[in-house]
Amino acid sequence: MIQPKLIIHGGAWNIPDEYVEDHIRGVEKAINTTYPKLEVGMSALDAVEFAVRILEEDPTYDAGRGAFLNEAGEVELDAIIMDGKTLNFGAVAALQNILHPVSVARKVMDETEHCLLVGDGALSFAKKMNFEELPPESLLTERELAFFKSIKNKETFKTHHPFEFEPRDTVGAVAMDRDGNFAVATSTGGTARKLRGRVGDSPIVGGGAYADNEAGAVSATGWGESIMKVVLCKRVCDHFFNQSAMEAAEEGIQYLKKRVNGLGGVIGINAKGEYSFAFNTRRMARGYVQNGKTIVSIEK
Ligand code: GLY
């Protein structure tokens, strides 16, 4: 029987001091609620979905409730879940009025012949699968509304600025279960004041997430337009074959910076069960379980 592994992130950003506590507490809660289930036999797939749902509910993060608003002041959500055993994945993009896009992504994987549904089509599918369509304001927080108003008409604003100046981002989870199967899930509200219909890296296979039992699994956070250009999570998984887990993550982040001046971070687990993480933002909230202990950190 293999000792399961779990690593979670709550975003790579310039997280200011006053938000550090919330970021740590949320990641810790997701780990401490999910890991005991993995220990008693929960599958990696169920575990990553379960963990990400906890983070989607938490308004601290740019996922589910509390997500950034697009140019029209609306919440549009992206998510992916991937099974390292089969390489099957399900994803949704620009989905509105649903609290748990990661679970809709799971249904896309389990219940359809497709991999990725977007916009109105994703919402219709979610409703068909009995997800509750919420009023738009229920996912929107006062904090995001105030932030949106402050940047709405700011001519100098660029969508990657919040990665350097504001305290929120994508969430993700990577797990290896007792049978040695890997899975990953990533969920996000994308970037602040994004164009309507903009899709970031998170629901793009290989970009915001990748899982393959032969390599391991990786989830990304950061500026989506840069991450998807270098297919970051697939790159790190490929490097798991010839580098240590930590070296592979570091290589991916260095390449992201060098090749496209990108910003962000990755977490992962390689096929040997070794944890992997790296980031080039000021902070990245992340945590994992090692020898029965939950280790959460946010600094470099
Ligand atoms: N990584 C989140 C996004 O850019 O959409």
Side-chain angles (χ1 to χ4, degrees), residues 1-298:
M1 194 77 66
I2 297 168
Q3 186 67 32
K5 295 280 160 70
L6 177 68
I7 184 165
I8 286 177
H9 71 73
W13 291 78
N14 182 16
I15 301 168
D17 295 346
E18 63 266 33
Y19 292 103
V20 162
E21 191 59 41
D22 283 349
H23 277 75
I24 289 176
R25 179 197 40 74
V27 168
E28 204 165 47
K29 178 181 169 192
I31 292 174
N32 290 342
T33 317
T34 309
Y35 190 76
K37 295 181 186 297
L38 265 173
E39 277 187 305
V40 295
M42 184 183 248
S43 71
L45 257 184
D46 286 344
V48 294
E49 180 184 354
F50 186 83
V52 166
R53 284 175 66 95
I54 294 170
L55 297 165
E56 286 174 337
E57 258 160 37
D58 187 333
T60 304
Y61 307 103
D62 177 28
R65 181 171 291 120
F68 280 134
L69 307 185
N70 67 12
E71 59 169 358
E74 303 161 339
V75 171
E76 285 186 323
L77 303 170
D78 302 339
I80 187 169
I81 188 164
M82 185 165 187
D83 178 2
K85 187 175 177 185
T86 59
L87 304 192
N88 287 338
F89 76 95
V92 289
L95 174 64
Q96 292 191 302
N97 305 336
I98 299 287
L99 178 58
H100 291 301
V102 71
S103 294
V104 184
R106 177 79 188 265
K107 289 283 184 200
V108 172
M109 182 175 87
D110 289 348
E111 306 290 338
T112 80
E113 304 169 80
H114 309 304
C115 295
L116 170 61
L117 296 180
V118 305
D120 282 351
L123 178 59
S124 302
F125 171 73
K127 289 198 286 189
K128 204 168 138 195
M129 293 290 115
N130 297 318
F131 286 85
E132 186 185 2
E133 184 179 11
L134 299 167
E137 59 278 10
S138 76
L139 297 183
L140 196 155
T141 58
E142 284 300 317
R143 179 197 64 208
E144 288 312 316
L145 204 52
F147 178 60
F148 176 68
K149 283 180 186 159
S150 76
I151 60 169
K152 194 172 170 206
N153 298 313
K154 203 169 165 184
E155 279 179 24
T156 53
F157 180 81
K158 298 276 182 226
T159 56
H160 70 272
H161 283 169
F163 292 90
E164 293 161 89
F165 308 122
E166 285 298 315
R168 287 171 288 288
D169 194 30
T170 304
V171 301
V174 174
M176 182 187 79
D177 63 27
R178 290 199 314 191
D179 297 325
N181 289 317
F182 286 79
V184 60
T186 306
S187 181
T188 189
T191 48
R193 215 183 75 177
K194 62 188 179 182
L195 295 181
R196 291 187 77 220
R198 177 267 188 190
V199 176
D201 61 300
S202 303
I204 306 299
V205 69
Y210 201 73
D212 178 348
N213 279 4
E214 292 183 13
V218 178
S219 169
T221 161
W223 179 22
E225 278 74 7
S226 63
I227 291 169
M228 66 174 115
K229 283 175 192 165
V230 301
V231 201
L232 183 60
C233 290
K234 177 71 165 81
R235 182 180 181 94
V236 176
C237 277
D238 286 346
H239 279 265
F240 280 159
F241 288 110
N242 54 22
Q243 290 184 302
S244 75
M246 290 301 274
E247 281 167 358
E250 196 51 52
E251 192 282 337
I253 294 301
Q254 278 181 17
Y255 185 74
L256 176 73
K257 181 71 187 168
K258 187 182 74 179
R259 191 68 184 88
V260 293
N261 200 23
L263 282 164
V266 286
I267 57 162
I269 306 171
N270 72 7
K272 292 182 195 157
E274 295 162 347
Y275 291 117
S276 169
F277 57 84
F279 55 104
N280 66 359
T281 48
R282 181 174 161 221
R283 287 170 164 152
M284 177 171 79
R286 77 275 180 192
Y288 53 90
V289 179
Q290 192 78 291
N291 302 325
K293 254 183 79 179
T294 302
I295 299 164
V296 181
S297 38
I298 198 158

